[in-house]
Each structure stands twice: as structure tokens, then as C-alpha cells.
Amino acid sequence: MFPKHYHRFVAAFTMSVIMVFVMTAVITAVNTGIGGNFIQRWWEAMLVAWPIAFAAILVIGKPVQQ
């Protein structure tokens, strides 16, 4: 579907979105509860965490796989 040279970026993007989606939901729920403005707090956490996770996967993904 994507050219081979984009595979690393597509994989890192997909992995980081899924990881951040789940982890920020769990951590936000544990730390602040699900009531009130949970979705807003969760979204804000995802906006902060996603670029960090994406960059980390791009940097350390290949050495870890080897």
C-alpha cells in the first residue's frame, strides 16, 4: 500500500497512536477518575504524549528490533 521507504514511519505512527491512546486513557483514569471532563483531560494528555512516543519509536525502534 505504501512505498517501502515509508514503512518505518507508518509503523511508528500506528504503534505510537495505539500505545498513547491506551496508556493515556488508563493513566488519566487512574490519576483523575473518569467523571467530569475526562475526555478533555485524556485528549490533552494524548496531545502531549503522542509526539514524544512517535519520536521515541523512530529513534529506538530499529536498534530494539535488531
Side-chain angles (χ1 to χ4, degrees):
M1 182 158 77
F2 292 102
K4 188 170 175 80
H5 62 277
Y6 289 122
H7 177 73
R8 182 171 171 226
F9 295 102
V10 172
F13 175 82
T14 305
M15 189 182 322
S16 64
V17 167
I18 293 168
M19 179 180 64
V20 167
F21 184 84
V22 172
M23 294 301 297
T24 56
V26 170
I27 293 168
T28 302
V30 168
N31 286 337
T32 63
I34 296 180
N37 57 351
F38 173 75
I39 299 296
Q40 179 183 354
R41 290 179 279 129
W42 182 13
W43 178 249
E44 289 171 359
M46 287 186 350
L47 289 177
V48 171
W50 179 78
I52 297 166
F54 182 67
I57 291 170
L58 281 177
V59 170
I60 66 172
K62 196 162 190 160
V64 168
Q65 287 177 348
Q66 293 175 349

